[in-house]
Amino acid sequence: MTRVALTMQNRRSISPHAGRCRNFTLTTVVHGREVGERTQVSIEKERTLHSTTSEGLPSMLEGVELLITGGVGPGLVQRLARHGVQVAVTDEADPDRALQAWLVGDLHPEAPGAESDGGRGNCF
């Protein structure tokens, strides 16, 4: 079982900046298939991934093992890795297509220390 969070600031498409995102869609994947309902969660501005430097994950994101986003800096990738979260950067704005790309192996997690912006401009 893998718990996945998608950065969705506008609640419709993948956000290009993981660190400042306050709205996420959570889903669970079991044996390569999405199971159950997707859940929308919001976090306070003071608890964004950018704002929580040395602290743990915001409580609503605890248990997440994969973050799919449009852009993320290397420091955040490293920090999330310390909490057991892999990060996959996509240039796909549609959350269904982004998740499907990961499910079929076309979207891969970033290596901690790598710089990536998903082809959407500097987001780090």
Side-chain angles (χ1 to χ4, degrees):
M1 178 173 88
T2 303
R3 193 83 170 123
V4 180
L6 298 101
T7 59
M8 296 182 59
Q9 184 62 26
N10 66 9
R11 295 186 173 99
R12 292 183 305 277
S13 58
I14 300 291
S15 300
H17 196 302
R20 300 205 186 272
C21 187
R22 295 178 52 211
N23 298 307
F24 298 82
T25 297
L26 304 179
T27 190
T28 302
V29 173
V30 177
H31 300 298
R33 302 187 111 175
E34 188 175 14
V35 297
E37 296 287 321
R38 291 183 182 181
T39 306
Q40 302 285 329
V41 298
S42 296
I43 56 177
E44 305 85 24
K45 186 176 183 179
E46 300 76 28
R47 295 289 297 155
T48 63
L49 295 172
H50 177 78
S51 299
T52 55
T53 54
S54 61
E55 304 155 29
L57 296 174
S59 61
M60 293 185 177
L61 297 179
E62 287 184 12
V64 166
E65 298 167 88
L66 175 69
L67 178 72
I68 297 177
T69 186
V72 64
L76 183 53
V77 171
Q78 289 175 340
R79 208 162 6 112
L80 290 171
R82 286 193 298 268
H83 293 284
V85 180
Q86 294 184 310
V87 179
V89 177
T90 182
D91 60 359
E92 178 58 65
D94 181 271
D96 294 326
R97 287 190 221 155
L99 182 62
Q100 186 61 31
W102 178 74
L103 289 171
V104 300
D106 291 339
L107 181 61
H108 304 282
E110 297 289 309
E115 291 188 15
S116 178
D117 65 1
R120 296 178 135 193
N122 293 326
C123 297
F124 43 83

